[in-house]
């Protein structure tokens, strides 16, 4: 019987818990100060430290407190916009470059984990993306044709008749498999990055919010909860946790809560029937569900947006469980063991952005798909801050849009979620 006695911390923290607060002091002056210690901040730090720049990462909470230790561990090419949409906006060359960055992010994270031997359950398992209506199935099939012209991704269509080899549910009308997508354990990956950043000489100071950022003649002055530090350059790596520290970025990032549960351990026979492969899973709903087996194949981790307003995991746990049971009716009586949430950073054009305003660098806006892309853009923005021209990306060439009357509080979120929910139910 479903109960509410679940933990309200990420399942991942059972194996890689947040580090306890350490006794640290802030340096007086560094070459590069990085605000935020998720994948973006740590990958940036690895680059600047490797390039010989004295590097300080400052984190308001425990290291990796944000989305980087809370996510679903699904690794994809991250770009939501299609080739025709991007071509219409940016022309064929820049559109291809942008999609190329998505592929580059996937290649980068695989190579990085392999080269650095990061112990994080990384596996190239592929993704099954289910069509929640026949129309969506047709669109998936058509879309594959378009993207194949540019990228030789060997994605393939799975008709409904073959679906049982992918997933034990009647809820989809077929789908598409992206064989190169991967999975990992987000908190173990983050723990690995922390070690690599430190080994390269970066200092990580946690439980220390940056309160204010001023420019002066030699760069920046950062006022923090632990005092002041000067930096020649600053990298903002705050994504869905971007706040009033950086009003320009705050006007461009839409923080959206994403909610996720883990089931109790399930019998092997049930896991093998419902999830015959290790693939990561998602679907064509606007309010997408993302789910997967746990790395040990004993549980199902299931995430999505099930509330109009931001709320807490004690409320979303039962709602997510109900959606899980809709896909897999035999899980109606299964208990959940964990329910948690975190903030993703959305943008008005659904693209991620990276850039630099006279020494103030930023990389953010991964729109809920940042495991690979935050790693990659963190690496690239670190290179930029270390004056390495290889750091420039297609995202440096596009504007980072905002909207009139938007200052960081997404007042339009609840009506948008409601509209998407209605569209998803109507199957349009
Ligand atoms: C529930 C959930 C599921 C997700 N699932 C997936 C998935 O399966 N696949 C995928 O690709 N992506 C997923 N994502 C998105 C992905 O996790 C993020 O895109 C990625 O982790 C962003 O990394 P980041 O380093 O940019 O930001 P974060 O990891 O969010 O780090 C930002 C940090 O900045 C700190 N900070 C903010 N302001 C300050 C300040 N003033 N001073 C000091 N520190 C500050 C915050 O405390 C925070 O720790 C998911 C996200 C969530 C929340």
């Amino acid at each position: 019987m479903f109960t509410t006695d679940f933990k309200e911390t990420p399942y991942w923290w059972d194996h890689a818990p947040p580090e306890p607060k350490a006794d640290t002091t802030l340096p007086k002056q560094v070459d590069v100060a990085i605000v935020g210690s998720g994948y973006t901040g740590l990958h940036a730090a690895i680059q600047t430290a490797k390039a010989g720049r004295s590097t300080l990462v400052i984190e308001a909470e425990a290291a990796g407190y944000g989305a980087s230790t809370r996510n679903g561990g699904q690794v994809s090419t991250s770009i939501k916009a299609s080739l025709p949409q991007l071509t219409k906006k940016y022309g064929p060359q820049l559109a291809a470059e942008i999609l190329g960055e998505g592929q580059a992010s996937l290649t980068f994270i695989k190579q990085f984990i392999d080269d650095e031997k990061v112990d994080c359950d990384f596996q190239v398992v592929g993704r099954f993306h289910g069509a929640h209506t026949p129309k969506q199935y047709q669109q998936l099939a058509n879309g594959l044709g378009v993207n194949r012209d540019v990228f030789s991704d060997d994605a393939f269509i799975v008709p409904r008749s073959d679906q049982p080899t992918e997933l034990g549910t009647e809820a989809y009308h077929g789908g598409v498999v992206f064989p190169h997508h991967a999975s990992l354990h987000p908190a173990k990956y983050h723990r690995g990055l922390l070690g690599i950043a430190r080994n390269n000489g970066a200092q990580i100071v946690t439980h220390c919010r940056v309160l204010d950022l001023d420019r002066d003649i030699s760069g920046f002055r950062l006022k923090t909860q632990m005092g002041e530090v000067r930096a020649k350059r600053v990298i903002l790596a705050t994504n869905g946790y971007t706040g009033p520290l950086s009003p320009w970025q705050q006007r461009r990032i839409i923080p959206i809560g994403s909610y996720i549960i883990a089931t109790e351990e399930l019998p092997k026979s049930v896991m093998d029937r419902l999830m015959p492969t290790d693939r990561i899973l998602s679907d064509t709903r606007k309010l997408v569900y993302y789910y997967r087996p746990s790395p040990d194949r004993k549980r199902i981790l299931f995430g999505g947006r099930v509330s109009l307003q931001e709320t807490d995991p004690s409320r979303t746990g039962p709602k997510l469980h109900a959606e899980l049971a809709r896909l897999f009716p035999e899980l109606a009586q299964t208990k959940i063991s964990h329910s948690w949430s975190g903030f993703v950073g959305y943008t008005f054009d659904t693209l991620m952005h990276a850039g630099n305003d006279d020494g103030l660098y930023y990389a953010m806006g991964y729109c809920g798909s940042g495991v690979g892309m935050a790693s990659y853009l963190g690496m690239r923005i670190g290179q930029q801050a270390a004056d390495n021209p290889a750091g420039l990306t297609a995202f440096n060439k596009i504007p980072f849009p905002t909207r009139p009357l938007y200052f960081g509080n997404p007042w339009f979120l609840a009506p948008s979620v409601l509209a998407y929910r209605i569209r998803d139910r109507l199957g349009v």
Side-chain angles (χ1 to χ4, degrees):
M1 184 75 162
F2 175 73
T3 56
T4 51
D5 59 347
F6 44 77
K7 289 188 191 174
E8 292 188 28
T9 49
Y11 166 69
W12 312 116
W13 292 8
D14 286 7
H15 324 112
E19 290 181 346
K21 187 169 187 287
D23 243 353
T24 41
T25 46
L26 277 183
K28 292 254 172 298
Q29 164 90 50
V30 289
D31 292 327
V32 183
I34 298 170
V35 187
S37 68
Y39 303 147
T40 305
L42 294 182
H43 270 284
I46 291 167
Q47 292 302 318
T48 53
K50 273 187 174 168
R53 310 293 195 272
S54 58
T55 297
L56 170 69
V57 178
I58 315 178
E59 167 59 54
E61 309 281 348
Y65 171 85
S68 295
T69 60
R70 297 167 180 271
N71 61 70
Q74 304 201 354
V75 191
S76 66
T77 50
S78 296
I79 312 245
K80 291 186 166 40
S82 67
L83 180 62
Q85 286 166 336
L86 291 170
T87 303
K88 195 168 163 206
K89 209 161 168 190
Y90 297 114
Q93 191 180 332
L94 189 48
E97 273 180 50
I98 291 169
L99 287 176
E101 298 287 15
Q103 299 286 336
S105 72
L106 191 56
T107 308
F108 168 74
I109 189 169
K110 281 180 192 163
Q111 196 64 50
F112 179 89
I113 289 172
D114 201 32
D115 290 348
E116 299 284 347
K117 301 188 177 37
V118 185
D119 171 17
C120 62
D121 303 323
F122 182 83
Q123 280 191 79
V124 179
V125 290
R127 169 192 303 278
F128 176 76
H129 189 59
H132 76 290
T133 64
K135 187 176 162 197
Q136 293 292 339
Y137 176 74
Q138 208 44 57
Q139 280 179 0
L140 280 182
N142 298 343
L144 270 188
V146 172
N147 283 322
R148 270 219 182 106
D149 293 343
V150 185
F151 303 105
S152 54
D153 189 5
D154 40 8
F156 58 90
I157 276 285
V158 178
R160 191 173 196 169
S161 54
D162 292 348
Q163 199 167 274
T165 58
E166 293 292 337
L167 200 59
T169 178
E170 297 288 311
Y172 297 126
H173 298 261
V176 59
V177 168
F178 298 97
H180 301 297
H181 291 192
S183 67
L184 52 63
H185 186 304
K188 286 189 186 173
Y189 174 51
H190 182 268
R191 187 176 59 186
L193 293 179
L194 264 180
I196 296 164
R198 285 184 178 126
N199 288 342
N200 279 287
Q203 186 185 351
I204 323 277
V205 171
T206 63
H207 302 90
C208 176
R209 184 169 292 279
V210 180
L211 303 169
D212 210 355
L213 190 57
D214 284 328
R215 284 179 193 270
D216 68 16
I217 190 108
S218 58
F220 297 87
R221 271 188 313 157
L222 293 90
K223 289 192 190 121
T224 81
Q225 285 176 319
M226 286 167 55
E228 195 173 290
V229 57
R230 283 167 181 274
K232 289 185 192 140
R233 290 181 176 176
V234 170
I235 300 177
L236 294 168
T238 47
N239 198 40
Y241 296 78
T242 299
L245 177 69
S246 51
W248 191 85
Q249 283 77 12
Q250 194 183 17
R251 286 206 61 200
R252 285 157 177 82
I253 288 289
I254 309 160
I256 301 183
S258 188
Y259 299 85
I260 180 164
I261 54 172
T263 65
E264 63 181 341
E265 290 193 3
L266 297 167
K268 182 173 180 312
S269 57
V270 174
M271 284 302 295
D272 289 348
R273 190 165 54 248
L274 301 185
M275 295 192 171
T277 76
D278 287 330
R279 292 212 201 287
I280 53 172
L281 301 144
S282 53
D283 66 32
T284 49
R285 284 182 178 76
K286 275 283 186 192
L287 299 176
V288 65
Y289 293 128
Y290 54 93
Y291 51 109
R292 55 173 286 185
S294 56
D296 62 6
R297 278 192 64 76
K298 290 186 175 165
R299 300 165 193 260
I300 293 176
L301 309 179
F302 185 83
R305 174 82 194 187
V306 282
S307 63
L308 297 184
Q309 311 275 4
E310 299 308 348
T311 178
D312 67 79
S314 65
R315 288 170 187 271
T316 51
K319 289 184 178 176
L320 283 168
H321 177 259
E323 291 303 308
L324 177 66
R326 208 179 46 72
L327 286 182
F328 304 110
E330 72 179 274
L331 298 183
Q333 302 302 313
T334 298
K335 287 183 188 168
I336 60 176
S337 57
H338 300 71
S339 174
W340 72 98
S341 68
F343 283 99
V344 304
Y346 245 79
T347 60
F348 287 102
D349 60 0
T350 77
L351 286 173
M352 47 291 307
H353 292 271
N356 156 31
D357 172 24
D358 199 18
L360 181 59
Y361 294 76
Y362 61 87
M364 55 183 63
Y366 309 110
C367 299
S369 299
V371 176
M373 190 51 94
S375 303
Y376 173 74
L377 271 196
M379 177 272 289
R380 289 293 188 218
I381 204 70
Q383 289 177 333
Q384 288 182 39
D387 297 314
N388 178 347
L392 286 175
T393 69
F395 304 109
N396 288 86
K397 301 181 188 173
I398 59 173
F400 192 171
T402 182
R403 292 284 185 276
L405 300 181
Y406 180 66
F407 299 99
N409 173 23
W411 46 269
F412 44 80
L413 196 58
S416 305
V417 172
L418 182 62
Y420 284 151
R421 190 181 283 174
I422 293 167
R423 280 183 59 175
D424 285 343
R425 290 208 175 132
L426 293 175
V428 290

